[in-house]
Amino acid sequence: MLRTSTERCAPRGNRRLRFVPMALLTASVILTTPSIRAQDDLHVQYKFNGLADGALPAGNLLADGYSHVLGVASSGGKSCTPFPGCGVVFDWAHGYLVPKYTFGSLGGLYNFPTSGLARDAAGNLYGDMQIQYKLNVDVGVIYKISPSGKGELVHTFPTEEGLPYGGLTLDAEGNLYGMANEEIFKITPKGVESVLFRFDNPTVTGSTPSSLAIDADGSFYGTTAYGGPGGNGGSAGLGNGVLFKLSPEGTFTALHYFTGGAGGALPNSLALDGNGNIYGFTEDGGDLATCAKYDGGAFSNGGCGLAYKYDKYGNFSVIHSFTGFDGARPQGIPLILSDTVYGATSAGGVFGATEGLDGYGVVFQITANGTETTLHSFTGKDGLEPSTGLIQLPNGDIYGATAFGGHSSLSTNPCKTSGTAGCGVLYKIVLPM
Protein backbone atom coordinates (compact mmCIF):
# COMPACT_ATOMS: atom_id res chain seq x y z
CA MET A 1 0.00 0.00 0.00
CA LEU A 2 1.36 3.42 -0.98
CA ARG A 3 0.87 6.44 1.20
CA THR A 4 1.11 10.07 0.27
CA SER A 5 3.61 12.41 1.85
CA THR A 6 0.76 14.24 3.58
CA GLU A 7 0.44 11.24 5.90
CA ARG A 8 4.07 11.21 6.91
CA CYS A 9 3.94 12.55 10.46
CA ALA A 10 0.60 11.29 11.70
CA PRO A 11 1.14 8.97 14.70
CA ARG A 12 -0.89 5.77 14.56
CA GLY A 13 -4.19 6.11 16.34
CA ASN A 14 -3.80 9.87 16.80
CA ARG A 15 -6.99 11.74 16.04
CA ARG A 16 -5.84 15.33 16.40
CA LEU A 17 -5.18 17.95 13.75
CA ARG A 18 -1.68 19.35 13.50
CA PHE A 19 -0.78 23.06 13.65
CA VAL A 20 -4.39 24.19 13.68
CA PRO A 21 -5.18 27.29 15.78
CA MET A 22 -7.07 26.18 18.85
CA ALA A 23 -10.57 27.56 19.16
CA LEU A 24 -12.12 27.89 22.61
CA LEU A 25 -15.35 26.03 23.22
CA THR A 26 -18.23 28.11 24.47
CA ALA A 27 -19.80 25.43 26.62
CA SER A 28 -18.52 25.23 30.19
CA VAL A 29 -17.32 21.87 31.47
CA ILE A 30 -16.96 21.01 35.14
CA LEU A 31 -14.02 18.70 35.76
CA THR A 32 -13.54 16.35 38.65
CA THR A 33 -9.96 16.79 39.83
CA PRO A 34 -8.02 13.50 39.84
CA SER A 35 -5.57 12.51 42.51
CA ILE A 36 -2.52 14.77 41.94
CA ARG A 37 0.61 14.93 44.01
CA ALA A 38 0.79 17.88 46.38
CA GLN A 39 4.34 18.54 45.17
CA ASP A 40 4.53 18.42 41.39
CA ASP A 41 8.09 17.78 40.26
CA LEU A 42 7.94 18.12 36.47
CA HIS A 43 10.66 20.27 34.94
CA VAL A 44 10.76 21.37 31.32
CA GLN A 45 14.27 20.69 30.07
CA TYR A 46 13.93 22.00 26.53
CA LYS A 47 11.35 23.72 24.30
CA PHE A 48 11.65 22.82 20.63
CA ASN A 49 11.45 25.79 18.30
CA GLY A 50 10.76 24.02 15.01
CA LEU A 51 13.93 25.29 13.37
CA ALA A 52 17.29 23.47 13.40
CA ASP A 53 16.32 21.56 16.56
CA GLY A 54 13.13 20.11 15.08
CA ALA A 55 9.49 19.91 16.12
CA LEU A 56 6.96 17.28 17.20
CA PRO A 57 9.13 14.75 19.06
CA ALA A 58 7.67 11.28 18.63
CA GLY A 59 8.49 7.61 19.12
CA ASN A 60 10.55 6.11 21.90
CA LEU A 61 13.39 8.01 23.56
CA LEU A 62 16.78 6.41 24.28
CA ALA A 63 19.00 6.77 27.31
CA ASP A 64 22.56 7.15 26.04
CA GLY A 65 25.23 7.01 28.71
CA TYR A 66 24.78 8.65 32.08
CA SER A 67 22.92 11.83 31.16
CA HIS A 68 22.16 11.87 27.42
CA VAL A 69 18.67 11.56 25.96
CA LEU A 70 18.36 10.71 22.26
CA GLY A 71 15.16 11.09 20.30
CA VAL A 72 13.48 11.91 17.02
CA ALA A 73 11.62 15.09 16.12
CA SER A 74 9.27 14.13 13.31
CA SER A 75 9.20 17.60 11.76
CA GLY A 76 11.29 20.77 11.72
CA GLY A 77 14.96 20.97 10.92
CA LYS A 78 16.88 23.19 8.55
CA SER A 79 16.27 21.35 5.29
CA CYS A 80 13.50 19.84 3.19
CA THR A 81 11.82 22.86 1.62
CA PRO A 82 8.89 23.16 0.87
CA PHE A 83 7.96 20.97 3.83
CA PRO A 84 8.13 22.39 7.37
CA GLY A 85 11.36 20.47 7.88
CA CYS A 86 11.79 16.72 7.53
CA GLY A 87 12.77 16.12 11.15
CA VAL A 88 15.93 15.58 13.18
CA VAL A 89 17.61 13.14 15.55
CA PHE A 90 18.47 15.10 18.69
CA ASP A 91 20.91 14.58 21.56
CA TRP A 92 20.11 16.33 24.83
CA ALA A 93 22.51 16.48 27.79
CA HIS A 94 23.48 18.90 30.55
CA GLY A 95 20.93 21.49 29.48
CA TYR A 96 21.91 21.57 25.80
CA LEU A 97 20.27 20.04 22.75
CA VAL A 98 22.31 19.19 19.67
CA PRO A 99 20.79 18.10 16.33
CA LYS A 100 22.70 14.86 15.75
CA TYR A 101 21.26 14.27 12.29
CA THR A 102 18.94 16.30 10.04
CA PHE A 103 16.63 14.44 7.67
CA GLY A 104 16.08 15.80 4.21
CA SER A 105 17.72 14.30 1.14
CA LEU A 106 19.27 11.00 2.16
CA GLY A 107 19.59 8.97 -1.03
CA GLY A 108 18.88 12.09 -3.07
CA LEU A 109 15.16 12.05 -2.21
CA TYR A 110 13.05 13.72 0.48
CA ASN A 111 12.90 11.55 3.56
CA PHE A 112 11.08 11.67 6.90
CA PRO A 113 11.48 9.61 10.11
CA THR A 114 8.41 7.66 11.21
CA SER A 115 9.50 6.10 14.51
CA GLY A 116 11.84 6.39 17.44
CA LEU A 117 15.33 4.93 17.65
CA ALA A 118 17.07 1.63 18.32
CA ARG A 119 20.80 1.42 19.08
CA ASP A 120 23.31 -1.41 18.67
CA ALA A 121 26.35 -2.21 20.81
CA ALA A 122 28.61 -0.07 18.60
CA GLY A 123 26.46 3.02 19.09
CA ASN A 124 24.81 3.04 15.67
CA LEU A 125 21.24 4.32 15.60
CA TYR A 126 18.46 2.77 13.51
CA GLY A 127 14.92 3.81 12.69
CA ASP A 128 12.00 3.64 10.29
CA MET A 129 11.81 6.22 7.54
CA GLN A 130 9.80 6.99 4.45
CA ILE A 131 11.29 8.40 1.27
CA GLN A 132 9.36 10.32 -1.34
CA TYR A 133 9.90 7.96 -4.25
CA LYS A 134 8.02 10.26 -6.60
CA LEU A 135 5.48 13.05 -6.18
CA ASN A 136 2.98 12.06 -3.47
CA VAL A 137 4.23 8.46 -3.36
CA ASP A 138 6.48 7.23 -0.53
CA VAL A 139 8.36 3.99 0.10
CA GLY A 140 9.60 2.61 3.40
CA VAL A 141 13.26 2.51 4.40
CA ILE A 142 15.37 1.49 7.38
CA TYR A 143 18.14 3.99 8.06
CA LYS A 144 21.35 3.90 10.09
CA ILE A 145 23.21 6.79 11.70
CA SER A 146 26.79 6.18 12.80
CA PRO A 147 28.23 7.63 16.04
CA SER A 148 29.93 10.28 13.88
CA GLY A 149 26.52 11.42 12.54
CA LYS A 150 26.70 9.90 9.05
CA GLY A 151 23.41 8.58 7.67
CA GLU A 152 22.91 5.71 5.26
CA LEU A 153 20.14 3.48 3.94
CA VAL A 154 20.10 -0.07 5.31
CA HIS A 155 17.08 -1.47 3.50
CA THR A 156 14.38 -0.22 1.13
CA PHE A 157 11.04 -2.04 1.18
CA PRO A 158 9.21 -3.02 -1.99
CA THR A 159 6.18 -0.81 -2.51
CA GLU A 160 3.82 -3.73 -1.90
CA GLU A 161 5.16 -4.13 1.65
CA GLY A 162 4.05 -0.63 2.62
CA LEU A 163 5.80 1.57 5.17
CA PRO A 164 7.55 0.32 8.32
CA TYR A 165 6.17 1.74 11.56
CA GLY A 166 6.27 1.33 15.30
CA GLY A 167 10.05 1.31 15.71
CA LEU A 168 12.71 -1.39 15.60
CA THR A 169 14.01 -4.03 18.00
CA LEU A 170 17.59 -5.37 17.99
CA ASP A 171 18.92 -8.73 19.09
CA ALA A 172 22.42 -9.52 20.36
CA GLU A 173 23.65 -10.33 16.85
CA GLY A 174 22.61 -6.96 15.48
CA ASN A 175 19.56 -8.18 13.56
CA LEU A 176 16.72 -5.68 13.28
CA TYR A 177 13.06 -6.60 13.77
CA GLY A 178 10.01 -4.50 13.05
CA MET A 179 6.61 -4.23 11.40
CA ALA A 180 5.38 -3.14 7.98
CA ASN A 181 1.84 -3.40 6.70
CA GLU A 182 0.61 -6.84 7.91
CA GLU A 183 3.94 -8.53 8.66
CA ILE A 184 6.84 -8.85 11.05
CA PHE A 185 10.21 -8.61 9.34
CA LYS A 186 13.85 -9.30 10.12
CA ILE A 187 16.77 -7.43 8.57
CA THR A 188 20.33 -8.67 8.99
CA PRO A 189 23.27 -6.31 9.58
CA LYS A 190 23.96 -6.61 5.83
CA GLY A 191 20.45 -5.40 4.97
CA VAL A 192 18.92 -8.72 3.91
CA GLU A 193 15.21 -8.88 4.73
CA SER A 194 13.08 -11.90 5.56
CA VAL A 195 9.44 -12.03 6.62
CA LEU A 196 8.97 -13.88 9.92
CA PHE A 197 5.18 -13.77 10.06
CA ARG A 198 2.22 -12.46 8.09
CA PHE A 199 -1.04 -11.48 9.76
CA ASP A 200 -3.23 -13.00 7.06
CA ASN A 201 -6.05 -14.35 9.26
CA PRO A 202 -7.48 -11.34 11.13
CA THR A 203 -9.99 -13.26 13.25
CA VAL A 204 -7.20 -15.47 14.68
CA THR A 205 -3.93 -13.55 14.43
CA GLY A 206 -5.30 -10.03 14.52
CA SER A 207 -4.71 -7.24 12.05
CA THR A 208 -2.34 -4.26 11.91
CA PRO A 209 0.50 -5.14 14.32
CA SER A 210 1.16 -2.20 16.63
CA SER A 211 4.01 -3.17 18.97
CA LEU A 212 6.84 -5.67 19.27
CA ALA A 213 9.23 -6.72 22.03
CA ILE A 214 11.77 -9.55 22.26
CA ASP A 215 12.76 -11.53 25.36
CA ALA A 216 16.06 -13.14 26.31
CA ASP A 217 15.04 -16.43 24.66
CA GLY A 218 14.33 -14.80 21.31
CA SER A 219 10.54 -14.96 21.54
CA PHE A 220 8.54 -11.98 20.32
CA TYR A 221 5.58 -10.47 22.09
CA GLY A 222 3.33 -7.88 20.55
CA THR A 223 -0.14 -6.59 19.87
CA THR A 224 -2.30 -5.92 16.86
CA ALA A 225 -4.45 -2.81 16.87
CA TYR A 226 -7.41 -4.65 15.35
CA GLY A 227 -8.67 -8.14 14.66
CA GLY A 228 -9.61 -11.06 16.83
CA PRO A 229 -12.93 -12.92 17.04
CA GLY A 230 -15.59 -10.95 15.22
CA GLY A 231 -13.00 -8.89 13.40
CA ASN A 232 -12.35 -9.38 9.70
CA GLY A 233 -9.73 -6.67 9.21
CA GLY A 234 -12.03 -4.86 6.79
CA SER A 235 -13.87 -1.59 7.07
CA ALA A 236 -16.54 -3.10 9.35
CA GLY A 237 -16.17 -5.42 12.30
CA LEU A 238 -12.49 -4.64 12.78
CA GLY A 239 -12.15 -6.45 16.08
CA ASN A 240 -10.55 -5.04 19.23
CA GLY A 241 -6.99 -6.32 18.91
CA VAL A 242 -4.83 -9.27 19.93
CA LEU A 243 -1.94 -9.86 22.33
CA PHE A 244 0.36 -12.48 20.81
CA LYS A 245 3.59 -14.45 21.10
CA LEU A 246 5.80 -15.53 18.22
CA SER A 247 8.40 -18.20 19.05
CA PRO A 248 11.91 -18.17 17.53
CA GLU A 249 10.74 -21.06 15.32
CA GLY A 250 7.84 -18.99 14.00
CA THR A 251 4.97 -20.51 16.00
CA PHE A 252 2.22 -17.94 16.58
CA THR A 253 0.13 -18.01 19.76
CA ALA A 254 -2.74 -15.67 20.51
CA LEU A 255 -2.35 -14.97 24.23
CA HIS A 256 -5.38 -12.73 24.64
CA TYR A 257 -8.19 -11.28 22.56
CA PHE A 258 -9.27 -7.80 23.60
CA THR A 259 -13.02 -7.52 23.99
CA GLY A 260 -13.67 -3.78 23.76
CA GLY A 261 -15.57 -1.88 26.43
CA ALA A 262 -14.24 -2.69 29.90
CA GLY A 263 -11.79 -5.16 28.33
CA GLY A 264 -10.01 -2.53 26.24
CA ALA A 265 -9.57 -1.93 22.52
CA LEU A 266 -6.89 -0.64 20.18
CA PRO A 267 -3.83 -1.93 22.10
CA ASN A 268 -0.58 -0.13 21.38
CA SER A 269 2.75 -0.41 23.20
CA LEU A 270 3.82 -3.08 25.68
CA ALA A 271 6.82 -3.89 27.88
CA LEU A 272 8.33 -7.06 29.40
CA ASP A 273 9.36 -6.81 33.06
CA GLY A 274 12.04 -9.54 32.94
CA ASN A 275 10.02 -11.82 35.24
CA GLY A 276 7.72 -13.21 32.58
CA ASN A 277 5.02 -10.54 32.93
CA ILE A 278 3.75 -8.26 30.17
CA TYR A 279 2.41 -4.75 30.75
CA GLY A 280 0.66 -2.71 28.12
CA PHE A 281 -1.85 -0.02 27.20
CA THR A 282 -4.95 0.28 25.05
CA GLU A 283 -6.02 3.62 23.60
CA ASP A 284 -9.75 2.82 23.74
CA GLY A 285 -12.09 0.97 26.05
CA GLY A 286 -12.06 0.92 29.82
CA ASP A 287 -14.54 2.62 32.14
CA LEU A 288 -16.89 3.92 29.46
CA ALA A 289 -19.45 5.43 31.81
CA THR A 290 -17.03 7.60 33.74
CA CYS A 291 -15.02 8.48 30.66
CA ALA A 292 -18.21 9.69 28.94
CA LYS A 293 -18.57 12.39 31.64
CA TYR A 294 -15.25 13.97 30.70
CA ASP A 295 -15.18 16.95 28.32
CA GLY A 296 -18.82 16.70 27.36
CA GLY A 297 -18.44 13.09 26.26
CA ALA A 298 -15.45 13.57 23.96
CA PHE A 299 -14.48 9.91 24.39
CA SER A 300 -17.96 8.46 24.90
CA ASN A 301 -17.84 6.40 21.72
CA GLY A 302 -14.58 4.63 22.46
CA GLY A 303 -13.48 5.11 26.05
CA CYS A 304 -10.34 6.61 27.52
CA GLY A 305 -8.15 3.50 27.42
CA LEU A 306 -6.62 1.30 30.09
CA ALA A 307 -3.46 -0.33 31.43
CA TYR A 308 -3.27 -4.11 31.67
CA LYS A 309 -1.04 -6.93 32.89
CA TYR A 310 -0.63 -10.39 31.40
CA ASP A 311 1.24 -12.41 33.99
CA LYS A 312 3.63 -15.31 33.53
CA TYR A 313 0.85 -17.77 34.40
CA GLY A 314 -1.32 -16.62 31.52
CA ASN A 315 -3.73 -14.42 33.47
CA PHE A 316 -4.95 -11.16 31.93
CA SER A 317 -6.09 -8.34 34.20
CA VAL A 318 -6.98 -4.68 33.80
CA ILE A 319 -4.92 -2.76 36.33
CA HIS A 320 -6.42 0.67 35.64
CA SER A 321 -9.13 2.19 33.45
CA PHE A 322 -8.58 5.85 32.59
CA THR A 323 -11.48 8.22 33.07
CA GLY A 324 -10.35 11.31 31.17
CA PHE A 325 -9.98 13.23 34.41
CA ASP A 326 -6.86 11.16 35.17
CA GLY A 327 -5.79 10.92 31.53
CA ALA A 328 -6.93 9.38 28.26
CA ARG A 329 -5.24 7.41 25.48
CA PRO A 330 -2.00 6.22 27.10
CA GLN A 331 0.96 6.36 24.73
CA GLY A 332 4.48 5.00 24.49
CA ILE A 333 6.24 2.00 26.01
CA PRO A 334 5.33 1.47 29.69
CA LEU A 335 8.15 2.13 32.14
CA ILE A 336 8.19 -0.68 34.72
CA LEU A 337 10.10 -0.01 37.95
CA SER A 338 9.74 -2.89 40.40
CA ASP A 339 5.99 -3.58 40.18
CA THR A 340 4.90 -0.01 39.45
CA VAL A 341 3.91 1.22 35.97
CA TYR A 342 4.73 4.75 34.79
CA GLY A 343 3.60 6.40 31.61
CA ALA A 344 1.86 9.30 29.91
CA THR A 345 -1.44 9.86 28.15
CA SER A 346 -1.82 11.99 25.04
CA ALA A 347 -5.11 13.47 26.23
CA GLY A 348 -7.22 14.00 29.35
CA GLY A 349 -6.23 15.71 32.55
CA VAL A 350 -7.25 18.87 34.36
CA PHE A 351 -6.28 21.36 31.65
CA GLY A 352 -7.36 21.86 28.05
CA ALA A 353 -10.69 20.06 28.09
CA THR A 354 -12.59 23.29 27.35
CA GLU A 355 -10.33 24.30 24.47
CA GLY A 356 -11.14 21.76 21.82
CA LEU A 357 -8.23 19.48 22.70
CA ASP A 358 -9.81 16.80 24.90
CA GLY A 359 -7.24 17.63 27.58
CA TYR A 360 -3.51 18.29 27.39
CA GLY A 361 -2.43 14.92 28.79
CA VAL A 362 -0.89 13.64 32.02
CA VAL A 363 2.03 11.69 33.48
CA PHE A 364 0.80 8.87 35.71
CA GLN A 365 1.82 6.13 38.11
CA ILE A 366 -0.01 2.85 38.74
CA THR A 367 1.06 0.79 41.76
CA ALA A 368 0.85 -2.99 42.07
CA ASN A 369 -2.53 -2.77 43.83
CA GLY A 370 -3.99 -0.72 40.97
CA THR A 371 -3.83 2.71 42.60
CA GLU A 372 -3.38 5.37 39.92
CA THR A 373 -1.87 8.76 40.75
CA THR A 374 -1.60 11.67 38.32
CA LEU A 375 1.96 12.88 38.77
CA HIS A 376 1.48 15.84 36.44
CA SER A 377 -1.32 17.34 34.36
CA PHE A 378 0.06 19.35 31.44
CA THR A 379 -0.93 22.99 31.06
CA GLY A 380 0.16 23.71 27.49
CA LYS A 381 3.03 25.97 28.51
CA ASP A 382 4.89 22.95 29.91
CA GLY A 383 3.79 20.60 27.14
CA LEU A 384 0.75 19.36 25.29
CA GLU A 385 -0.05 15.85 24.03
CA PRO A 386 2.66 13.54 25.40
CA SER A 387 3.93 11.58 22.42
CA THR A 388 6.52 9.27 23.99
CA GLY A 389 6.65 6.95 26.93
CA LEU A 390 9.00 7.57 29.85
CA ILE A 391 12.61 6.40 30.05
CA GLN A 392 14.98 6.19 33.01
CA LEU A 393 18.61 7.23 32.66
CA PRO A 394 21.38 5.36 34.51
CA ASN A 395 21.49 8.24 37.01
CA GLY A 396 17.82 7.63 37.85
CA ASP A 397 16.33 10.65 36.06
CA ILE A 398 13.03 10.09 34.21
CA TYR A 399 12.38 11.81 30.88
CA GLY A 400 9.56 12.11 28.38
CA ALA A 401 8.46 14.39 25.54
CA THR A 402 5.31 16.05 24.24
CA ALA A 403 4.44 16.63 20.59
CA PHE A 404 3.17 20.17 21.14
CA GLY A 405 3.17 22.95 23.70
CA GLY A 406 6.06 24.90 25.11
CA HIS A 407 5.16 28.45 24.03
CA SER A 408 8.47 29.22 22.36
CA SER A 409 8.86 33.00 22.18
CA LEU A 410 10.91 33.01 18.98
CA SER A 411 9.20 35.20 16.38
CA THR A 412 10.33 32.77 13.67
CA ASN A 413 8.91 29.75 15.48
CA PRO A 414 6.74 27.94 12.91
CA CYS A 415 4.66 26.43 15.73
CA LYS A 416 3.83 29.77 17.37
CA THR A 417 0.14 30.69 17.49
CA SER A 418 -2.05 32.78 19.73
CA GLY A 419 -3.19 29.63 21.47
CA THR A 420 -1.29 27.09 23.52
CA ALA A 421 0.60 25.48 20.67
CA GLY A 422 4.31 25.03 20.38
CA CYS A 423 6.76 22.59 18.86
CA GLY A 424 6.90 20.30 21.88
CA VAL A 425 9.03 19.91 24.99
CA LEU A 426 11.46 17.50 26.58
CA TYR A 427 10.68 17.14 30.28
CA LYS A 428 12.05 15.50 33.40
CA ILE A 429 9.84 14.28 36.21
CA VAL A 430 10.90 13.36 39.73
CA LEU A 431 9.03 10.28 40.87
CA PRO A 432 7.44 9.91 44.31
CA MET A 433 9.64 8.54 47.04
Side-chain angles (χ1 to χ4, degrees):
M1 178 181 66
L2 301 181
R3 302 183 186 179
T4 67
S5 58
T6 57
E7 298 175 279
R8 64 183 178 86
C9 289
R12 298 173 62 78
N14 191 297
R15 305 178 179 98
R16 261 183 215 158
L17 296 178
R18 301 299 191 184
F19 296 115
V20 176
M22 302 160 197
L24 297 179
L25 297 181
T26 56
S28 61
V29 178
I30 299 176
L31 300 180
T32 301
T33 304
S35 172
I36 300 179
R37 294 185 60 204
Q39 181 182 0
D40 192 335
D41 291 321
L42 185 135
H43 307 281
V44 174
Q45 302 296 293
Y46 188 80
K47 296 181 180 181
F48 293 86
N49 61 41
L51 302 176
D53 61 352
L56 278 67
N60 58 297
L61 301 173
L62 282 182
D64 187 22
Y66 189 73
S67 59
H68 287 249
V69 178
L70 299 176
V72 172
S74 60
S75 189
K78 62 184 180 181
S79 64
C80 224
T81 305
F83 304 106
C86 287
V88 304
V89 172
F90 62 83
D91 183 344
W92 184 93
H94 309 297
Y96 295 93
L97 186 139
V98 176
K100 189 176 180 69
Y101 184 81
T102 301
F103 293 91
S105 59
L106 188 62
L109 299 167
Y110 286 129
N111 54 82
F112 317 92
T114 59
S115 73
L117 299 168
R119 183 186 54 213
D120 65 17
N124 297 299
L125 302 174
Y126 300 86
D128 300 326
M129 182 172 70
Q130 63 190 78
I131 283 184
Q132 191 179 77
Y133 175 68
K134 57 183 178 180
L135 184 63
N136 293 329
V137 177
D138 297 342
V139 295
V141 171
I142 303 300
Y143 67 85
K144 171 183 175 181
I145 300 173
S146 69
S148 64
K150 179 182 177 182
E152 63 179 278
L153 305 181
V154 174
H155 178 77
T156 300
F157 291 89
T159 54
E160 63 270 17
E161 290 189 18
L163 303 176
Y165 54 81
L168 299 168
T169 299
L170 278 153
D171 66 15
E173 284 73 43
N175 297 300
L176 294 162
Y177 303 89
M179 300 165 292
N181 202 358
E182 294 289 345
E183 65 185 35
I184 296 174
F185 61 78
K186 171 185 176 180
I187 296 176
T188 69
K190 294 184 178 180
V192 178
E193 181 202 12
S194 57
V195 175
L196 301 183
F197 187 78
R198 286 189 172 92
F199 294 84
D200 54 6
N201 188 352
T203 59
V204 176
T205 64
S207 174
T208 314
S210 53
S211 64
L212 195 65
I214 185 171
D215 68 11
D217 297 325
S219 294
F220 295 96
Y221 297 85
T223 55
T224 65
Y226 306 105
N232 58 15
S235 60
L238 291 174
N240 297 298
V242 178
L243 173 67
F244 67 84
K245 175 182 178 180
L246 185 67
S247 74
E249 297 76 31
T251 300
F252 179 93
T253 304
L255 301 177
H256 178 76
Y257 292 116
F258 292 89
T259 60
L266 199 63
N268 48 33
S269 299
L270 56 75
L272 312 177
D273 70 355
N275 296 314
N277 304 304
I278 303 169
Y279 293 86
F281 302 137
T282 71
E283 289 193 45
D284 288 352
D287 184 349
L288 302 185
T290 305
C291 178
K293 299 176 183 178
Y294 178 81
D295 192 16
F299 304 103
S300 59
N301 291 331
C304 292
L306 54 78
Y308 65 86
K309 177 181 179 180
Y310 184 90
D311 69 25
K312 58 186 176 183
Y313 304 109
N315 301 306
F316 177 90
S317 59
V318 174
I319 57 177
H320 180 72
S321 290
F322 292 93
T323 65
F325 305 102
D326 61 3
R329 294 181 182 148
Q331 300 290 325
I333 299 172
L335 175 63
I336 314 299
L337 301 178
S338 298
D339 53 2
T340 300
V341 180
Y342 297 91
T345 68
S346 64
V350 173
F351 304 103
T354 61
E355 295 164 329
L357 285 174
D358 304 333
Y360 292 160
V362 310
V363 178
F364 63 84
Q365 164 194 279
I366 304 172
T367 60
N369 64 5
T371 300
E372 193 270 359
T373 301
T374 300
L375 303 180
H376 181 76
S377 197
F378 287 94
T379 67
K381 291 183 178 180
D382 60 8
L384 187 163
E385 190 179 329
S387 52
T388 74
L390 304 177
I391 61 166
Q392 184 177 44
L393 270 60
N395 64 3
D397 290 341
I398 307 293
Y399 286 85
T402 69
F404 300 103
H407 280 297
S408 175
S409 61
L410 290 175
S411 61
T412 54
N413 181 355
C415 312
K416 185 178 181 180
T417 73
S418 58
T420 52
C423 293
V425 308
L426 180 70
Y427 64 85
K428 179 175 75 172
I429 188 162
V430 179
L431 301 183
M433 299 300 292

